[in-house]
Amino acid sequence: MTELIAVSLITVLAVISPGPDFAMVVRYSYLFGRRTGLVCAAGIALGVQVHVFYTMFGVSLLARYAQPVLQGIKLAGACYLVYMGWKTFFNRSTVDRDLSGRPAVSGWRALYSGFLTNALNPKTTLFVVSTYTQLVSPGTPLGRQFGYGLFMSLAHWIWFSIVAWSISSALLRRTLLDHQRTADRVVGAILMALGGGLAAAQV
């Protein structure tokens, strides 16, 4: 019970702390609407399972023997954030406020972006690996360990769905789109800053 409470508490705190996932969901939600934001949130939840998979199967132990590979993955994630931030910051196209027609962005693209953002996010790597190595006992049944991983994904999905639902509300989305250039620059700058910071940490 103590282990379960510890894992739950750490998961909740890690999920709600601002980071690349939050910025990406905000971007998709106010630009393309609630449905797209929710799909992006689902992609983030799926991305968590990448970290759970390699942690549970001991791949994290390879980090001490394959630092260049690990750093390369982190650098790729940083570059992706900078790229998305650059696109958002210098976006000059206006967004269609009417969401009754065909979505401006496909669900697959939103899902893929959310998945990639989380799967390449060093913050999630650190969170999952440290949770399993520091809080989960080696004697914990495998089924329960898988359950912890599913809970982590569920927590990410719930939280970022709430974020998407809130940001895409009619009033807030209209306000953001009334100041789209400013909103694009703020979100783009945050993504580039996060990516730049992650890249600098690998140097």
Side-chain angles (χ1 to χ4, degrees):
M1 181 61 69
T2 302
E3 181 181 274
L4 176 61
I5 294 174
V7 171
S8 301
L9 181 60
I10 294 298
T11 298
V12 171
L13 293 176
V15 169
I16 65 176
S17 62
D21 296 337
F22 183 88
M24 195 64 70
V25 171
V26 169
R27 177 184 186 273
Y28 273 96
S29 298
Y30 83 82
L31 285 178
F32 308 115
R34 179 166 295 165
R35 179 182 300 176
T36 306
L38 291 172
V39 173
C40 182
I44 289 171
L46 291 175
V48 175
Q49 288 304 305
V50 173
H51 305 283
V52 172
F53 178 84
Y54 65 64
T55 299
M56 286 195 59
F57 288 93
V59 180
S60 60
L61 296 177
L62 296 177
R64 69 181 68 178
Y65 305 110
Q67 279 298 327
V69 175
L70 186 62
Q71 289 179 347
I73 294 174
K74 291 179 179 180
L75 187 60
C79 291
Y80 179 72
L81 291 177
V82 172
Y83 166 72
M84 293 300 297
W86 181 273
K87 284 184 58 178
T88 305
F89 190 91
F90 291 102
N91 179 37
R92 294 294 180 268
S93 61
T94 57
V95 177
D96 187 3
R97 297 169 184 248
D98 183 12
L99 298 175
S100 59
R102 183 178 179 180
V105 173
S106 68
W108 167 250
R109 180 178 172 186
L111 185 73
Y112 174 78
S113 293
F115 175 83
L116 199 60
T117 299
N118 188 275
L120 297 177
N121 187 356
K123 172 192 167 187
T124 310
T125 300
L126 180 62
F127 153 62
V128 175
V129 172
S130 61
T131 298
Y132 273 90
T133 56
Q134 301 297 325
L135 298 178
V136 179
S137 169
T140 300
L142 194 61
R144 186 181 300 174
Q145 293 188 41
F146 275 113
Y148 290 154
L150 291 176
F151 172 76
M152 291 174 183
S153 283
L154 180 63
H156 278 75
W157 177 70
I158 291 175
W159 170 248
F160 289 113
S161 292
I162 292 173
V163 172
W165 190 275
S166 302
I167 295 297
S168 62
S169 64
L171 177 61
L172 187 52
R173 184 171 187 264
R174 183 169 61 248
T175 301
L176 289 171
L177 291 182
D178 284 341
H179 304 87
Q180 183 185 340
R181 184 65 59 82
T182 301
D184 283 346
R185 287 178 174 175
V186 170
V187 174
I190 291 173
L191 286 170
M192 286 190 288
L194 289 168
L198 293 174
Q202 306 308 313
V203 178

